[in-house]
Structures are given as structure tokens and as C-alpha cells.
Amino acid sequence: MYKILKAEKLNEIVYLMEVEAPMVAKHCEPGQFIIVKLDDAGERIPLTICDYDREAGTVTIVFQPIGASTEKFAKLQAKDAFEDFVGPLGCPSEFVHEDLEELKKEKILFVAGGVGTAPVYPQVKWLHEHGIDADVIVGAKTKDLIILEKEMEAVAGNLYITTDDGSYGRSGMVTKVIDDLVAEGKKYTRCVAIGPMIMMKFCCLTTKKYEIPTIVSMNPIMVDGTGMCGACRVIVGGEVKFACVDGPEFDGHLIDWDLAMKRQQMYKTEEGRALLKERE
Ligand code: FES
């Protein structure tokens, strides 16, 4: 069993948990994810890793309840436990294994949308710990939906907050901030965008205009998390890839967004869920 050491509500819809999982904490890297199961009858839910402490043996997850299982997760308290906490799964972010000296010459921009701020945080933190301060745009619908602001501020080079309704920070979509920063003369060599699929799609259209290579983290429905079931299939550069083993990060300029969004819609229906159950 994997004990929950801390359970916190970050806002009306987003929850944070610190879980005792020493083996995952020891081996995980930014960009990876875990699959969590509450009990025998529970669904397997993929969640990105928001933070980890190798010495304390803990992993921090952040989630937004969107179905029966995550609704149950939201009710858990410290001292409750998950039956399964499998990981780390997927590939680490590409920069983790790149030449640090080359990386230091780059100017990296992260774009985080809503709960997507959680998987962006460990990446920006990792870079900061390796002497690279990246710029970060965090966007949300309203002020109340901004999460991890203080944590991000501590590790980002410059932090730009924007809200759709203008209730906090700049006003407007994250893509507008990208446009503004480029217009101000910022020259980014790569961008990492993580958030709702529609946000990542439009970030990619924007960065393509400026020829900024862009990585996105795909979060399609997953079943086994081992590349066997095909549920997390995405088309990247005309090739079939599985987000759980080939990703979750891919070149955003090569993703077939229309297909990815169609598949996401399909699995939101009850039929889609039933289909996945049959495959389990
Ligand atoms: Fe990726 Fe099954 S979840 S192939």
C-alpha cells in the first residue's frame, strides 16, 4: 500500500497529494507519470508527477476529479492509501539526458495551462537546479484556478501569469502572451507546452509561426500503461506512437491534433469507457 502523507485542496477543483512511494521517488524524472489504483475494483488512472523527494521517498501528484475514480481520490485524507502506485512510466523530458553546457546556451519557454502547471513544475525545477532558468507562462480561466504560483516563482527565470477573464496577471490566452514576449524581443530556442489539448494545439500553431521547436505532453486515455492495449495511440509525423511508452512528450508540430481530439471525445462517452473496460 502507498500511504498518503499529505492531502490538500489547491482550489475548488484541484487536489494535491504527497504519497509515500520510495522506489518511484528514487527513479522518476521530470516528464514521467505514474498509474494509480485506489483498490482492487478501482480504475487505473494515469497522473503526471508534480514533484518528488528522493530522500524522503515521496512523490507529489496533482489532479482534477473528472470521473468516478478521481472523485474518490478527492475524498482521501492523509493516512489513507492507494493500493497501486506504479511507475515511473513513460520517457523523461528530452532535456534530462541532453548536454548541460549546450542546454545552458538555450532560452526555454514553458507554457502551462490550468492543471498542466503540475507537470511543468518539476521540469522548470530540474532546469533551475542545473543552473538554467526558463521563462514560464501560466494561464488559467480565472485567478482562483492558478496553482503552484509560489513554487513556480521560486524556480522560474520570469513567470508570466495570465487569466482568460483578466482577474489576475495579464489578460487573455497563453498564446497572446507568447506573441507579446516574441514582440518584446524574446528569442526562445524551444518551448514546452502542457495543458488542455486545445491549448497545446494553439500553442503549437503560435510557436510554428516563430519557428520555435515545441514539445507537448499528451494525456490521452490510458489502460495498461505498457504499450499493449493501444488506448493511448497518437499520430506523430504520420506514425503511430503510444503516449505511455513512446511519450508522453512529443514534437507538438508533428501531432495530428484533429485525430487526438476526436479520440479524446470518443473516450469521454460511456460507450468508449465500456469499450476500454472490455479490453482490460
Ligand atoms: Fe498505452 Fe495501453 S495505455 S498502449
Side-chain angles (χ1 to χ4, degrees), residues 27-33 48-49 52 89-99 103 108 110 118-127 190-194 215-217 246-250:
H27 298 287
C28 67
E29 300 282 7
Q32 292 186 293
F33 67 97
T48 39
I49 293 168
Y52 49 88
L89 299 169
C91 306
S93 302
E94 58 176 6
F95 56 76
V96 169
H97 299 300
E98 286 181 20
D99 184 289
L103 209 52
I108 307 174
F110 284 85
V120 164
Y121 174 67
Q123 302 198 25
V124 179
K125 183 179 173 190
W126 188 97
L127 288 167
R190 76 171 91 179
C191 172
V192 178
I194 308 180
I215 295 294
V216 295
S217 182
D246 301 318
E249 296 187 357
F250 296 104

Tab-separated table of all heavy atoms in Angstrom, residues 27-33 48-49 52 89-99 103 108 110 118-127 190-194 215-217 246-250:
chain	number	residue	atom	x	y	z
A	27	HIS	N	13.577	6.782	-8.688
A	27	HIS	CA	13.888	6.629	-10.112
A	27	HIS	C	13.213	7.637	-11.048
A	27	HIS	O	13.572	7.704	-12.222
A	27	HIS	CB	13.514	5.213	-10.574
A	27	HIS	CG	14.304	4.159	-9.850
A	27	HIS	ND1	15.635	3.935	-10.105
A	27	HIS	CD2	13.965	3.308	-8.865
A	27	HIS	CE1	16.082	2.978	-9.302
A	27	HIS	NE2	15.093	2.579	-8.543
A	28	CYS	N	12.226	8.381	-10.572
A	28	CYS	CA	11.472	9.211	-11.519
A	28	CYS	C	12.246	10.456	-11.950
A	28	CYS	O	13.138	10.925	-11.249
A	28	CYS	CB	10.105	9.588	-10.957
A	28	CYS	SG	10.170	10.669	-9.545
A	29	GLU	N	11.895	10.938	-13.122
A	29	GLU	CA	12.488	12.154	-13.690
A	29	GLU	C	11.336	13.036	-14.177
A	29	GLU	O	10.237	12.545	-14.433
A	29	GLU	CB	13.371	11.800	-14.907
A	29	GLU	CG	14.526	10.857	-14.625
A	29	GLU	CD	15.710	11.547	-13.952
A	29	GLU	OE1	15.583	12.717	-13.583
A	29	GLU	OE2	16.741	10.876	-13.797
A	30	PRO	N	11.619	14.329	-14.370
A	30	PRO	CA	10.567	15.198	-14.902
A	30	PRO	C	10.028	14.637	-16.219
A	30	PRO	O	10.793	14.090	-17.016
A	30	PRO	CB	11.299	16.522	-15.149
A	30	PRO	CG	12.494	16.470	-14.287
A	30	PRO	CD	12.878	15.036	-14.143
A	31	GLY	N	8.741	14.792	-16.412
A	31	GLY	CA	8.120	14.333	-17.669
A	31	GLY	C	7.451	12.988	-17.535
A	31	GLY	O	6.627	12.623	-18.373
A	32	GLN	N	7.804	12.237	-16.495
A	32	GLN	CA	7.228	10.891	-16.372
A	32	GLN	C	5.910	10.917	-15.603
A	32	GLN	O	5.540	11.929	-15.020
A	32	GLN	CB	8.239	9.976	-15.684
A	32	GLN	CG	9.447	9.732	-16.569
A	32	GLN	CD	10.384	8.709	-15.971
A	32	GLN	OE1	10.987	8.959	-14.943
A	32	GLN	NE2	10.488	7.562	-16.613
A	33	PHE	N	5.236	9.780	-15.600
A	33	PHE	CA	3.956	9.715	-14.912
A	33	PHE	C	3.832	8.403	-14.153
A	33	PHE	O	4.700	7.527	-14.259
A	33	PHE	CB	2.806	9.900	-15.915
A	33	PHE	CG	2.666	8.772	-16.905
A	33	PHE	CD1	1.754	7.751	-16.692
A	33	PHE	CD2	3.451	8.725	-18.054
A	33	PHE	CE1	1.627	6.707	-17.603
A	33	PHE	CE2	3.324	7.696	-18.977
A	33	PHE	CZ	2.406	6.682	-18.744
A	48	THR	N	0.370	12.670	-13.906
A	48	THR	CA	1.751	13.127	-14.057
A	48	THR	C	2.341	13.442	-12.688
A	48	THR	O	1.634	13.771	-11.750
A	48	THR	CB	1.829	14.389	-14.946
A	48	THR	OG1	0.737	15.210	-14.645
A	48	THR	CG2	1.835	14.041	-16.400
A	49	ILE	N	3.653	13.309	-12.624
A	49	ILE	CA	4.363	13.561	-11.372
A	49	ILE	C	4.605	15.066	-11.261
A	49	ILE	O	5.138	15.682	-12.178
A	49	ILE	CB	5.693	12.777	-11.370
A	49	ILE	CG1	5.384	11.266	-11.318
A	49	ILE	CG2	6.583	13.202	-10.201
A	49	ILE	CD1	6.579	10.369	-11.591
A	52	TYR	N	8.963	15.342	-6.517
A	52	TYR	CA	9.424	14.135	-5.837
A	52	TYR	C	10.564	14.512	-4.907
A	52	TYR	O	11.270	15.492	-5.138
A	52	TYR	CB	9.889	13.062	-6.844
A	52	TYR	CG	10.842	13.589	-7.894
A	52	TYR	CD1	12.225	13.605	-7.665
A	52	TYR	CD2	10.362	14.096	-9.090
A	52	TYR	CE1	13.090	14.105	-8.624
A	52	TYR	CE2	11.227	14.607	-10.041
A	52	TYR	CZ	12.578	14.608	-9.811
A	52	TYR	OH	13.445	15.120	-10.759
A	89	LEU	N	6.567	5.793	-15.223
A	89	LEU	CA	6.234	5.318	-16.564
A	89	LEU	C	6.524	6.425	-17.578
A	89	LEU	O	6.569	7.603	-17.240
A	89	LEU	CB	4.752	4.935	-16.627
A	89	LEU	CG	4.316	3.804	-15.677
A	89	LEU	CD1	2.802	3.699	-15.643
A	89	LEU	CD2	4.906	2.469	-16.119
A	90	GLY	N	6.667	6.011	-18.834
A	90	GLY	CA	6.929	6.971	-19.910
A	90	GLY	C	8.386	7.414	-19.917
A	90	GLY	O	9.194	6.990	-19.078
A	91	CYS	N	8.699	8.255	-20.885
A	91	CYS	CA	10.087	8.727	-21.039
A	91	CYS	C	10.263	10.059	-20.305
A	91	CYS	O	9.358	10.888	-20.317
A	91	CYS	CB	10.402	8.974	-22.513
A	91	CYS	SG	10.067	7.554	-23.555
A	92	PRO	N	11.422	10.273	-19.713
A	92	PRO	CA	11.688	11.589	-19.106
A	92	PRO	C	11.694	12.684	-20.185
A	92	PRO	O	11.874	12.385	-21.371
A	92	PRO	CB	13.092	11.422	-18.510
A	92	PRO	CG	13.346	9.964	-18.452
A	92	PRO	CD	12.543	9.338	-19.548
A	93	SER	N	11.567	13.920	-19.766
A	93	SER	CA	11.652	15.054	-20.699
A	93	SER	C	12.992	14.997	-21.426
A	93	SER	O	14.007	14.621	-20.838
A	93	SER	CB	11.581	16.366	-19.922
A	93	SER	OG	10.390	16.395	-19.190
A	94	GLU	N	12.991	15.405	-22.682
A	94	GLU	CA	14.192	15.216	-23.523
A	94	GLU	C	15.445	15.880	-22.947
A	94	GLU	O	16.541	15.352	-23.056
A	94	GLU	CB	13.931	15.685	-24.957
A	94	GLU	CG	13.505	17.139	-25.049
A	94	GLU	CD	13.350	17.634	-26.481
A	94	GLU	OE1	13.459	16.827	-27.416
A	94	GLU	OE2	13.116	18.850	-26.642
A	95	PHE	N	15.274	17.045	-22.286
A	95	PHE	CA	16.474	17.763	-21.825
A	95	PHE	C	17.210	17.042	-20.687
A	95	PHE	O	18.377	17.307	-20.445
A	95	PHE	CB	16.131	19.200	-21.416
A	95	PHE	CG	15.064	19.315	-20.367
A	95	PHE	CD1	15.351	19.040	-19.042
A	95	PHE	CD2	13.777	19.706	-20.707
A	95	PHE	CE1	14.368	19.141	-18.071
A	95	PHE	CE2	12.788	19.802	-19.743
A	95	PHE	CZ	13.083	19.518	-18.424
A	96	VAL	N	16.522	16.133	-20.004
A	96	VAL	CA	17.136	15.443	-18.868
A	96	VAL	C	18.420	14.717	-19.283
A	96	VAL	O	19.369	14.641	-18.516
A	96	VAL	CB	16.114	14.450	-18.231
A	96	VAL	CG1	16.789	13.526	-17.224
A	96	VAL	CG2	14.988	15.225	-17.554
A	97	HIS	N	18.436	14.214	-20.526
A	97	HIS	CA	19.620	13.481	-20.977
A	97	HIS	C	20.442	14.253	-22.008
A	97	HIS	O	21.278	13.680	-22.694
A	97	HIS	CB	19.198	12.115	-21.544
A	97	HIS	CG	18.504	11.273	-20.513
A	97	HIS	ND1	19.106	10.897	-19.343
A	97	HIS	CD2	17.235	10.807	-20.451
A	97	HIS	CE1	18.251	10.202	-18.609
A	97	HIS	NE2	17.108	10.146	-19.249
A	98	GLU	N	20.199	15.561	-22.115
A	98	GLU	CA	20.965	16.354	-23.079
A	98	GLU	C	22.225	16.930	-22.427
A	98	GLU	O	22.349	16.965	-21.203
A	98	GLU	CB	20.094	17.497	-23.630
A	98	GLU	CG	19.052	16.976	-24.614
A	98	GLU	CD	18.203	18.100	-25.184
A	98	GLU	OE1	18.630	19.268	-25.139
A	98	GLU	OE2	17.106	17.804	-25.672
A	99	ASP	N	23.123	17.422	-23.280
A	99	ASP	CA	24.364	18.024	-22.800
A	99	ASP	C	24.035	19.334	-22.067
A	99	ASP	O	23.468	20.265	-22.656
A	99	ASP	CB	25.265	18.297	-24.017
A	99	ASP	CG	26.610	18.821	-23.583
A	99	ASP	OD1	26.681	19.985	-23.115
A	99	ASP	OD2	27.575	18.065	-23.707
A	103	LEU	N	22.649	23.009	-23.294
A	103	LEU	CA	21.334	23.424	-22.800
A	103	LEU	C	21.398	24.834	-22.188
A	103	LEU	O	20.462	25.623	-22.313
A	103	LEU	CB	20.886	22.403	-21.741
A	103	LEU	CG	19.394	22.157	-21.550
A	103	LEU	CD1	18.681	21.844	-22.849
A	103	LEU	CD2	19.186	21.005	-20.564
A	108	ILE	N	14.622	28.737	-22.939
A	108	ILE	CA	13.469	27.822	-22.973
A	108	ILE	C	12.229	28.500	-22.406
A	108	ILE	O	12.292	29.177	-21.373
A	108	ILE	CB	13.778	26.527	-22.185
A	108	ILE	CG1	15.094	25.904	-22.697
A	108	ILE	CG2	12.634	25.519	-22.300
A	108	ILE	CD1	15.577	24.710	-21.912
A	110	PHE	N	8.339	27.701	-21.098
A	110	PHE	CA	7.304	26.735	-20.736
A	110	PHE	C	5.952	27.433	-20.767
A	110	PHE	O	5.843	28.592	-20.356
A	110	PHE	CB	7.546	26.189	-19.322
A	110	PHE	CG	8.658	25.180	-19.267
A	110	PHE	CD1	9.976	25.596	-19.138
A	110	PHE	CD2	8.391	23.823	-19.372
A	110	PHE	CE1	11.009	24.672	-19.101
A	110	PHE	CE2	9.415	22.894	-19.342
A	110	PHE	CZ	10.725	23.312	-19.210
A	118	ALA	N	1.076	21.515	-13.063
A	118	ALA	CA	1.691	20.480	-12.203
A	118	ALA	C	2.824	19.727	-12.912
A	118	ALA	O	3.923	19.639	-12.365
A	118	ALA	CB	0.619	19.529	-11.680
A	119	PRO	N	2.631	19.197	-14.119
A	119	PRO	CA	3.761	18.531	-14.789
A	119	PRO	C	4.835	19.495	-15.288
A	119	PRO	O	5.981	19.082	-15.488
A	119	PRO	CB	3.107	17.787	-15.956
A	119	PRO	CG	1.768	18.403	-16.140
A	119	PRO	CD	1.354	18.938	-14.811
A	120	VAL	N	4.503	20.764	-15.475
A	120	VAL	CA	5.525	21.732	-15.899
A	120	VAL	C	6.482	22.020	-14.732
A	120	VAL	O	7.687	22.152	-14.926
A	120	VAL	CB	4.855	23.043	-16.395
A	120	VAL	CG1	5.863	24.188	-16.458
A	120	VAL	CG2	4.234	22.824	-17.776
A	121	TYR	N	5.933	22.064	-13.524
A	121	TYR	CA	6.752	22.450	-12.364
A	121	TYR	C	8.039	21.626	-12.199
A	121	TYR	O	9.128	22.208	-12.077
A	121	TYR	CB	5.894	22.424	-11.082
A	121	TYR	CG	6.703	22.669	-9.854
A	121	TYR	CD1	7.291	23.915	-9.621
A	121	TYR	CD2	6.937	21.649	-8.929
A	121	TYR	CE1	8.085	24.132	-8.508
A	121	TYR	CE2	7.727	21.860	-7.817
A	121	TYR	CZ	8.300	23.096	-7.608
A	121	TYR	OH	9.090	23.312	-6.508
A	122	PRO	N	7.983	20.265	-12.204
A	122	PRO	CA	9.243	19.526	-11.982
A	122	PRO	C	10.271	19.751	-13.090
A	122	PRO	O	11.475	19.656	-12.852
A	122	PRO	CB	8.798	18.057	-11.941
A	122	PRO	CG	7.468	18.031	-12.619
A	122	PRO	CD	6.846	19.364	-12.368
A	123	GLN	N	9.803	20.097	-14.284
A	123	GLN	CA	10.731	20.351	-15.394
A	123	GLN	C	11.475	21.668	-15.157
A	123	GLN	O	12.699	21.748	-15.310
A	123	GLN	CB	9.969	20.418	-16.718
A	123	GLN	CG	9.182	19.139	-17.005
A	123	GLN	CD	8.796	19.006	-18.464
A	123	GLN	OE1	9.434	19.565	-19.338
A	123	GLN	NE2	7.763	18.242	-18.732
A	124	VAL	N	10.717	22.692	-14.793
A	124	VAL	CA	11.326	24.005	-14.558
A	124	VAL	C	12.251	23.920	-13.340
A	124	VAL	O	13.347	24.475	-13.326
A	124	VAL	CB	10.220	25.073	-14.333
A	124	VAL	CG1	10.829	26.439	-14.066
A	124	VAL	CG2	9.296	25.133	-15.541
A	125	LYS	N	11.826	23.157	-12.331
A	125	LYS	CA	12.631	22.986	-11.115
A	125	LYS	C	13.941	22.255	-11.444
A	125	LYS	O	15.014	22.649	-10.985
A	125	LYS	CB	11.816	22.183	-10.091
A	125	LYS	CG	12.507	21.996	-8.762
A	125	LYS	CD	11.597	21.218	-7.818
A	125	LYS	CE	12.329	20.863	-6.529
A	125	LYS	NZ	11.571	19.927	-5.703
A	126	TRP	N	13.842	21.200	-12.251
A	126	TRP	CA	15.037	20.431	-12.641
A	126	TRP	C	16.033	21.351	-13.354
A	126	TRP	O	17.228	21.350	-13.050
A	126	TRP	CB	14.627	19.274	-13.555
A	126	TRP	CG	15.722	18.304	-13.881
A	126	TRP	CD1	15.971	17.119	-13.262
A	126	TRP	CD2	16.726	18.443	-14.915
A	126	TRP	NE1	17.066	16.508	-13.843
A	126	TRP	CE2	17.555	17.292	-14.855
A	126	TRP	CE3	17.021	19.407	-15.869
A	126	TRP	CZ2	18.639	17.099	-15.719
A	126	TRP	CZ3	18.106	19.212	-16.721
A	126	TRP	CH2	18.896	18.073	-16.647
A	127	LEU	N	15.531	22.151	-14.282
A	127	LEU	CA	16.416	23.065	-15.027
A	127	LEU	C	17.057	24.072	-14.072
A	127	LEU	O	18.257	24.335	-14.137
A	127	LEU	CB	15.631	23.787	-16.128
A	127	LEU	CG	15.242	22.911	-17.334
A	127	LEU	CD1	14.209	23.621	-18.197
A	127	LEU	CD2	16.463	22.553	-18.180
A	190	ARG	N	13.391	26.866	-27.631
A	190	ARG	CA	12.414	25.772	-27.578
A	190	ARG	C	11.313	26.113	-26.591
A	190	ARG	O	11.489	26.954	-25.715
A	190	ARG	CB	13.060	24.429	-27.249
A	190	ARG	CG	13.440	24.214	-25.817
A	190	ARG	CD	13.863	22.768	-25.584
A	190	ARG	NE	15.297	22.583	-25.758
A	190	ARG	CZ	15.920	21.415	-25.594
A	190	ARG	NH1	15.240	20.333	-25.299
A	190	ARG	NH2	17.225	21.328	-25.745
A	191	CYS	N	10.199	25.435	-26.816
A	191	CYS	CA	9.033	25.681	-25.971
A	191	CYS	C	8.497	24.322	-25.513
A	191	CYS	O	8.572	23.333	-26.243
A	191	CYS	CB	7.978	26.430	-26.798
A	191	CYS	SG	6.385	26.625	-25.980
A	192	VAL	N	7.998	24.287	-24.295
A	192	VAL	CA	7.324	23.088	-23.782
A	192	VAL	C	5.941	23.547	-23.345
A	192	VAL	O	5.831	24.447	-22.504
A	192	VAL	CB	8.077	22.478	-22.576
A	192	VAL	CG1	7.331	21.255	-22.042
A	192	VAL	CG2	9.520	22.124	-22.945
A	193	ALA	N	4.899	22.988	-23.942
A	193	ALA	CA	3.539	23.408	-23.624
A	193	ALA	C	2.759	22.222	-23.060
A	193	ALA	O	2.704	21.153	-23.668
A	193	ALA	CB	2.840	23.937	-24.870
A	194	ILE	N	2.179	22.410	-21.872
A	194	ILE	CA	1.403	21.331	-21.254
A	194	ILE	C	0.110	21.895	-20.671
A	194	ILE	O	0.135	22.842	-19.880
A	194	ILE	CB	2.186	20.599	-20.142
A	194	ILE	CG1	3.571	20.147	-20.657
A	194	ILE	CG2	1.388	19.399	-19.633
A	194	ILE	CD1	4.423	19.413	-19.648
A	215	ILE	N	7.595	21.081	-27.637
A	215	ILE	CA	7.265	19.768	-27.085
A	215	ILE	C	5.940	19.891	-26.335
A	215	ILE	O	5.714	20.880	-25.629
A	215	ILE	CB	8.374	19.318	-26.099
A	215	ILE	CG1	9.691	19.099	-26.837
A	215	ILE	CG2	7.979	18.075	-25.314
A	215	ILE	CD1	9.687	17.949	-27.811
A	216	VAL	N	5.087	18.877	-26.498
A	216	VAL	CA	3.843	18.860	-25.729
A	216	VAL	C	3.768	17.537	-24.974
A	216	VAL	O	4.442	16.569	-25.349
A	216	VAL	CB	2.603	18.996	-26.648
A	216	VAL	CG1	2.582	20.352	-27.335
A	216	VAL	CG2	2.550	17.864	-27.672
A	217	SER	N	2.983	17.510	-23.915
A	217	SER	CA	2.802	16.262	-23.165
A	217	SER	C	1.382	15.789	-23.396
A	217	SER	O	0.430	16.461	-23.006
A	217	SER	CB	3.059	16.509	-21.682
A	217	SER	OG	2.921	15.303	-20.967
A	246	ASP	N	6.119	5.642	-25.709
A	246	ASP	CA	6.917	6.497	-26.601
A	246	ASP	C	6.922	7.937	-26.102
A	246	ASP	O	7.747	8.746	-26.512
A	246	ASP	CB	6.339	6.486	-28.025
A	246	ASP	CG	6.302	5.087	-28.611
A	246	ASP	OD1	7.281	4.353	-28.424
A	246	ASP	OD2	5.286	4.728	-29.244
A	247	GLY	N	5.963	8.292	-25.278
A	247	GLY	CA	5.801	9.662	-24.784
A	247	GLY	C	5.949	9.687	-23.291
A	247	GLY	O	6.731	8.913	-22.762
A	248	PRO	N	5.203	10.517	-22.578
A	248	PRO	CA	4.053	11.267	-23.094
A	248	PRO	C	4.426	12.527	-23.881
A	248	PRO	O	3.568	13.183	-24.422
A	248	PRO	CB	3.279	11.642	-21.829
A	248	PRO	CG	4.312	11.708	-20.754
A	248	PRO	CD	5.345	10.669	-21.115
A	249	GLU	N	5.737	12.858	-23.961
A	249	GLU	CA	6.096	14.102	-24.647
A	249	GLU	C	6.447	13.834	-26.108
A	249	GLU	O	7.159	12.871	-26.418
A	249	GLU	CB	7.264	14.764	-23.914
A	249	GLU	CG	6.854	15.172	-22.495
A	249	GLU	CD	7.900	15.986	-21.774
A	249	GLU	OE1	8.978	16.206	-22.339
A	249	GLU	OE2	7.631	16.402	-20.647
A	250	PHE	N	5.916	14.691	-26.978
A	250	PHE	CA	6.162	14.559	-28.412
A	250	PHE	C	6.383	15.936	-29.032
A	250	PHE	O	6.038	16.950	-28.432
A	250	PHE	CB	4.946	13.913	-29.101
A	250	PHE	CG	4.660	12.511	-28.669
A	250	PHE	CD1	3.609	12.240	-27.805
A	250	PHE	CD2	5.440	11.448	-29.108
A	250	PHE	CE1	3.347	10.945	-27.392
A	250	PHE	CE2	5.190	10.147	-28.708
A	250	PHE	CZ	4.140	9.901	-27.843
